[in-house]
């Protein structure tokens, strides 16, 4: 079956869903990172970037917010570029943990590898793998350059968020040392943790996140800058990681009801990939109990369902 949709239909549906979801007052801002607790909870934006470069922006799509765990996707792409698919599978893995993003228990359960670069342990391990090993400044430059290529423009470090998170990241410090204990961190643990904390503190917009997922949907070719950011064979690898654990312990529920690989962050951002078609992102600070933005989930799910874009539907999507 073919699903032919036009950009104006997508825009109309996105606007309709935006108006509905805007009224929702459920969830609350992340408060374990003090900076995030104080962000205006009414901010809300939806951005869609098609693989042909056309863009739909509704609401607060230019507001700069903390990228947080969404950055795990960017750095996973960087290590996939530097090491290739097989090595990343061996050194980190690609399994769902079924547990919260910062779970220590998950590390103890699977102590032969950290499971996936999209939870805290695997993401800290991914930062440790970034080349050149042992050189913090150059590693940081590689991380930021890669995020810039994927977003089509540079992210901004939110100093206050970085400080707030560095002052309170005791659980993540334990994770870094546990990884060391199990030989699953490949550079200095505290340096790797600092890189992870700093990348989580980068500010991005919903627009930039939809360009990232549009680049993944477009097999590594950024549809806005036209730069080939990564080789096409990395696209299905990163999309599978996102599909497996993008919503942490709620990933199954999400995939079942939305049918779209998507990654969340406690800053309120969510970005989804519809392979071959588009990247979609939404941003709104209040979160559910697993740390996923309530309004961003409702928005993306609403749009995907209304437009019949569920990747498991077997329908071939054509933008006409
Ligand atoms: N920096 C946050 C942390 O490590 C990111 C968590 C998230 O966005 N789920 O706790």
């Amino acid at each position: 079956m073919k699903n032919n949709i036009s950009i104006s239909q997508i825009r109309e549906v996105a606007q309709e869903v935006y108006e509905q979801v805007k009224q929702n007052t459920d969830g609350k801002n992340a408060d374990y990172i003090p900076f995030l607790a104080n962000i205006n909870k009414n901010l809300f934006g939806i951005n869609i970037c098609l693989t042909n470069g056309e863009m739909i922006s509704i609401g607060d799509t230019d507001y700069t917010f903390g990228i947080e765990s969404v950055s795990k996707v960017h750095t996973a792409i960087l290590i996939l570029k530097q090491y290739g698919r097989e090595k990343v599978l061996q050194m980190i893995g690609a399994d769902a943990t079924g547990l919260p993003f910062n779970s220590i228990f998950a590390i103890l359960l699977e102590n032969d590898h950290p499971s996936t670069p999209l939870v805290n342990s695997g993401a800290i391990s991914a930062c440790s793998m970034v080349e050149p090993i042992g050189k913090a400044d150059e590693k940081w430059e590689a991380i930021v350059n890669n995020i810039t290529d994927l977003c089509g423009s540079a992210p901004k470090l939110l100093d206050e968020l970085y400080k707030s998170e560095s002052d309170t990241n005791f659980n993540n410090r334990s994770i870094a040392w546990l990884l060391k204990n199990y030989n699953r961190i490949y550079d200095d643990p505290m340096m790797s943790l600092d890189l992870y904390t700093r990348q989580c503190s980068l500010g991005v917009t919903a627009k930039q996140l939809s360009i990232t997922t549009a680049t993944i949907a477009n097999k590594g070719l950024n549809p806005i800058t036209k730069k080939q950011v990564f080789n096409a064979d990395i696209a299905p690898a990163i999309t599978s990681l996102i599909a497996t654990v993008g919503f942490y312990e709620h990933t199954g529920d999400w995939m079942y009801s939305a049918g779209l690989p998507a990654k969340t962050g406690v800053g309120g951002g969510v970005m989804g990939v519809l392979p071959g078609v588009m990247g979609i992102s939404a941003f709104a600070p209040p979160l559910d109990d697993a740390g996923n933005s309530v309004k961003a989930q409702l928005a993306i799910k609403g749009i995907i369902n209304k437009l019949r874009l569920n990747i498991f539907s077997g329908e071939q999507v054509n933008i006409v």
Side-chain angles (χ1 to χ4, degrees):
M1 276 231 291
K2 281 209 170 113
N3 180 3
N4 295 322
I5 36 175
S6 64
I7 178 122
S8 58
Q9 251 175 304
I10 304 176
R11 187 173 284 116
E12 222 169 90
V13 165
Q15 187 69 45
E16 194 182 305
V17 170
Y18 175 82
E19 301 301 340
Q20 278 166 9
V21 173
K22 204 175 168 170
Q23 316 303 327
N24 186 296
T25 54
D26 294 341
K28 66 180 189 47
N29 288 26
D31 54 8
Y32 75 104
I33 300 170
F35 176 87
L36 296 177
N38 299 322
I39 306 289
N40 176 355
K41 64 177 180 4
N42 297 318
L43 289 162
F44 180 34
I46 300 175
N47 212 88
I48 292 171
C49 178
L50 298 176
T51 47
N52 67 8
E54 285 193 86
M55 190 101 95
I56 298 169
S57 306
I58 303 170
D60 301 308
T61 53
D62 287 318
Y63 182 86
T64 300
F65 58 90
I67 187 170
E68 294 297 343
S69 283
V70 180
S71 65
K72 290 168 176 160
V73 172
H74 301 76
T75 299
I77 291 173
L78 177 59
I79 57 163
L80 279 162
K81 283 173 77 166
Q82 292 185 337
Y83 290 78
R85 293 169 53 134
E86 273 318 303
K87 268 243 157 340
V88 169
L89 189 62
Q90 257 169 38
M91 295 170 79
I92 299 187
D95 273 336
T97 61
L99 289 164
F101 59 83
N102 53 3
S103 175
I104 294 219
F105 196 45
I107 309 176
L108 305 176
L109 282 174
E110 268 197 86
N111 59 24
D112 55 336
H113 59 71
S115 302
T116 164
L118 303 192
V119 299
N120 288 19
S121 57
I124 296 166
S125 187
C127 286
S128 79
M129 284 171 69
V130 170
E131 288 171 335
I133 300 295
K135 302 216 158 77
D137 291 348
E138 288 164 55
K139 283 165 85 100
W140 177 242
E141 207 179 301
I143 290 171
V144 174
N145 287 344
N146 176 60
I147 295 180
T148 304
D149 283 347
L150 286 163
C151 289
S153 55
K156 285 197 270 292
L157 184 68
L158 302 175
D159 291 309
E160 232 187 295
L161 176 57
Y162 176 44
K163 180 165 181 356
S164 181
E165 201 154 335
S166 303
D167 287 348
T168 54
N169 64 352
F170 310 113
N171 189 83
N172 286 341
R173 288 182 219 176
S174 322
I175 290 177
W177 285 117
L178 258 186
L179 289 171
K180 174 78 178 164
N181 185 55
Y182 290 120
N183 292 321
R184 281 180 275 137
I185 194 152
Y186 308 103
D187 206 336
D188 179 79
M190 288 300 106
M191 182 246 268
S192 307
L193 174 64
D194 179 57
L195 290 169
Y196 166 76
T197 311
R198 240 189 296 169
Q199 80 173 26
C200 287
S201 308
L202 286 169
V204 289
T205 64
K207 231 173 236 173
Q208 287 174 304
L209 291 187
S210 74
I211 296 172
T212 293
T213 39
T215 303
I216 299 172
N218 202 30
K219 302 189 172 113
L221 177 71
N222 185 316
I224 303 298
T225 62
K226 309 288 180 215
K227 179 169 177 174
Q228 186 73 41
V229 181
F230 56 80
N231 284 342
D233 71 322
I234 289 178
I238 190 66
T239 306
S240 82
L241 291 172
I242 297 171
T244 305
V245 77
F247 274 73
Y248 309 114
E249 68 271 38
H250 290 327
T251 307
D253 286 357
W254 168 260
M255 288 304 282
Y256 183 91
S257 53
L260 183 82
K263 180 75 196 82
T264 73
V266 291
V270 178
M271 63 176 194
V273 192
L274 188 62
V277 182
M278 68 187 194
I280 178 168
S281 69
F283 156 68
L287 311 176
D288 67 13
D289 57 357
N292 303 320
S293 167
V294 175
K295 286 204 277 270
Q297 290 183 67
L298 289 172
I300 294 178
K301 199 189 304 189
I303 294 168
I304 295 300
N305 285 333
K306 281 197 178 181
L307 291 170
R308 303 200 332 267
L309 296 175
N310 187 317
I311 60 160
F312 302 117
S313 68
E315 288 191 41
Q316 187 196 321
V317 179
N318 287 322
I319 307 292
V320 291

